Amino acid sequence: MQEQINLDELEKAVLNLEELTEKVNYTLNHANKVVEENINSGRGVWDGQMAEFYKRRWETLQKEFPSILETFSDQEKNLKEYLENMKRVESV
């Protein structure tokens, strides 16, 4: 049995992916700001050797954020293009 792709459901999934990408971007930026302002910042929230270790690890991880978000964005574009192509094919 051949499965058919439900274009409406795929379109909803793309919109959800867009929304999730925006939320992830906002959340990561907010988390980065919290870390920068509060961890090993001299404000007394969390300072010291362990705070320094955590902050360095966070800085390493946050450098990966742009590539993660780019991957999400690329997949959005790929799915949108696929949808457009399928709609053109179906309308012929």
Side-chain angles (χ1 to χ4, degrees), residues 76-90:
E76 287 173 34
K77 290 174 191 169
N78 291 338
L79 288 170
K80 283 180 182 178
E81 184 177 327
Y82 173 80
L83 280 167
E84 289 172 13
N85 289 339
M86 290 304 293
K87 286 178 181 180
R88 275 197 296 272
V89 167
E90 287 188 353

Side-chain angles (χ1 to χ4, degrees), residues 37-53:
E37 290 178 355
N38 297 295
I39 298 178
N40 212 34
S41 64
R43 291 183 178 190
V45 177
W46 185 22
D47 294 310
Q49 187 177 7
M50 287 304 295
E52 181 181 342
F53 174 77

Side-chain angles (χ1 to χ4, degrees), residues 61-72:
L61 289 173
Q62 67 99 15
K63 289 177 186 175
E64 297 176 18
F65 296 165
S67 65
I68 292 168
L69 293 169
E70 185 177 337
T71 299
F72 279 39

Side-chain angles (χ1 to χ4, degrees), residues 10 13 60 74 82 85:
L10 184 56
T60 299
D74 288 347
Y82 173 80
N85 289 339

